[in-house]
Amino acid sequence: SIFIKAHNGTQNSLDQLYKSTIQYPFIIKPDIGFRGLLVNKITNESELYNYLQKHDDINLIIQELITYNNECGIFYHRLPNEEFGKITSITLKKFLSVTGDGISSLKTLIKNDKRAQFYMPLLTDLHKKNFDLILKKDEEKILSSIGNHAKGTQFINGNYLISKKLEHAIDTIMKQIPDFYYGRLDIRYETMEDLLLLKHVKIIEINGIISEPTHIYDQKNMTYFKALNELRKHWQIMFQIATINHSCFNVKYESFTAFYKSVLQLKK
């Protein structure tokens, strides 16, 4: 990854890229993201130049394109006075896709798909050049491989995968970040076996206290009130971490003024 500071200047940002090992295509996104906002796949210098010109006023991250087939979100927390952390949520992600019938064009398949049809503006930008393509019968085409609701990804409850072995592996990773006690890792991986062994995996994002246990968005296995209860449970964990940090390690509580300013900044 490359961190691009706000007001860095387009040429300076291009120079940073050329000094790195990252090649086209790659992903560019805001350092502080929200539901896939401004996450783009960049395939050439012209696209990068245009993006940097538009968004020079915010901190950005350029990140290598991860081609592993699967993605999940793992929610982790550790109490500051305890040695080991826990996983409280695993979300498996099913990317938006259509399956060919050997007859229909890609555009027709999208229009007839119960989920894909709602993302037509996004998919037009991504696939307009290939709208006349006819997929072979039973051929699956991934329409968007960015693991976010806004890009059409379906979230599936994977909490049955939580195990002591996986908790230990994630714990080992998270302890490398000083004073990190609460948040979600978004991980790309090749197979489920790889994920459980943490082989052939890459962490593409680490989200802090505004992150959610995203398994609550599994429409088939979660009710509205169960989702509220999960949020309540996680907010209680956050509260517990804060009070332990304050009482045991003299970490000051954030003032209301600082909190309010951070909310305004996030909204902006």
Side-chain angles (χ1 to χ4, degrees), residues 145-160:
S145 58
I146 295 175
N148 195 281
H149 266 310
K151 309 293 184 181
T153 300
Q154 185 177 352
F155 289 5
I156 300 167
N157 187 342
N159 284 355
Y160 62 91

Side-chain angles (χ1 to χ4, degrees), residues 48-104:
L48 176 60
Y49 184 87
N50 290 334
Y51 187 100
L52 292 172
Q53 287 279 299
K54 285 182 182 178
H55 307 299
D56 183 58
D57 58 336
I58 57 174
N59 293 333
L60 299 168
I61 293 174
I62 289 177
Q63 191 173 63
E64 64 174 313
L65 181 67
I66 309 300
T67 56
Y68 292 148
N69 286 319
N70 297 294
E71 184 177 327
C72 72
I74 295 182
F75 205 102
Y76 163 92
H77 80 273
R78 178 168 68 89
L79 299 182
N81 59 349
E82 292 187 356
E83 186 176 354
F84 300 107
K86 294 180 180 178
I87 295 171
T88 52
S89 170
I90 297 180
T91 306
L92 307 178
K93 300 184 179 183
K94 185 178 185 300
F95 298 126
L96 189 63
S97 66
V98 290
T99 302
D101 57 9
I103 302 171
S104 304

